[in-house]
């Protein structure tokens, strides 16, 4: 299965750790940094991952814009994200964009990530030590379940 993972992992690289572990085990996986890329033809990919840390309660804005501009219609997608404090609404905006493109989400994986946003910086941050090695491995296991 030909896979591309579009990502935004800006501050502590929490999400990058997850997708790099996937790409290490599956080297044919293309990783695309949405904060640096512009237009890319993704139509040849069977599966498209959308991965981000959570910024102001949503996926990174550059990633959302990237998928608005580049996600092919009728794509199979999966979501992968890290957070300081979990909330099921974090995926609402990106799922709306995916549905607008007549595409589907076939799975989601999330885990804690080190967070020093705003007042959390004053107390040394939230979720220190995350993602753990176990959480990183679970992201690889999640991906493997998708491609079986």
């Amino acid at each position: 299965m030909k896979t591309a993972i579009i990502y935004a992992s800006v501050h502590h690289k929490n999400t990058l750790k997850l997708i790099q572990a996937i790409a290490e085990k599956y080297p044919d996986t293309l990783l695309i940094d949405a904060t640096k890329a512009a237009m890319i033809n993704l139509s040849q990919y069977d599966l498209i991952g959308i991965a981000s840390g959570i910024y102001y309660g949503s996926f990174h804005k550059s990633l959302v814009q990237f998928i608005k501009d580049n996600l092919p219609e009728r794509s199979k997608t999966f979501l992968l994200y890290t957070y300081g404090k979990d909330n099921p609404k974090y995926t609402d905006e990106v799922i709306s964009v995916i549905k607008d493109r007549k595409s589907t989400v076939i799975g989601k994986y999330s885990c804690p990530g080190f967070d020093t946003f705003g007042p959390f910086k004053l107390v040394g941050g939230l979720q220190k030590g995350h993602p753990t090695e176990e959480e990183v491995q679970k992201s690889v296991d999640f991906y493997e379940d998708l491609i079986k």
Side-chain angles (χ1 to χ4, degrees):
M1 179 169 288
K2 196 169 179 184
T3 302
I5 301 176
I6 307 150
Y7 72 94
S9 186
V10 177
H11 292 116
H12 299 291
K13 310 296 185 206
N14 298 316
T15 303
L16 186 59
K17 291 173 187 172
L18 304 180
I19 63 171
Q20 283 178 329
I22 292 169
E24 186 176 305
K25 187 159 184 185
Y26 296 93
D28 291 341
T29 302
L30 175 65
L31 301 182
I32 302 166
D33 185 343
T35 65
K36 297 177 182 168
M39 297 297 289
I40 295 180
N41 181 356
L42 297 170
S43 61
Q44 73 264 20
Y45 292 92
D46 304 307
L47 184 59
I48 299 173
I50 300 168
S52 181
I54 299 301
Y55 305 91
Y56 303 104
S58 184
F59 278 50
H60 197 275
K61 294 298 175 197
S62 65
L63 177 65
V64 174
Q65 188 60 53
F66 186 92
I67 64 171
K68 283 180 182 177
D69 295 340
N70 292 282
L71 185 66
E73 287 194 356
R74 295 172 180 50
S75 297
K76 286 184 3 182
T77 68
F78 65 91
L79 304 180
L80 206 155
Y81 64 98
T82 57
Y83 53 80
K85 182 179 178 225
D86 198 12
N87 185 326
K89 294 184 182 272
Y90 290 156
T91 60
D92 289 355
E93 180 182 23
V94 76
I95 288 175
S96 176
V97 173
I98 292 166
K99 286 182 179 178
D100 287 348
R101 303 292 305 149
K102 299 176 181 67
S103 295
T104 57
V105 176
I106 63 168
K108 294 182 209 176
Y109 176 78
S110 64
C111 71
F114 182 52
D115 182 5
T116 56
F117 173 73
F120 302 125
K121 188 174 190 173
L122 299 173
V123 295
L126 297 176
Q127 307 296 359
K128 294 176 192 162
H130 290 276
T132 64
E133 287 301 316
E134 181 182 346
E135 291 161 341
V136 171
Q137 182 56 49
K138 284 182 179 180
S139 72
V140 175
D141 296 344
F142 161 77
Y143 177 72
E144 288 176 337
D145 286 344
L146 292 178
I147 62 172
K148 284 182 182 175

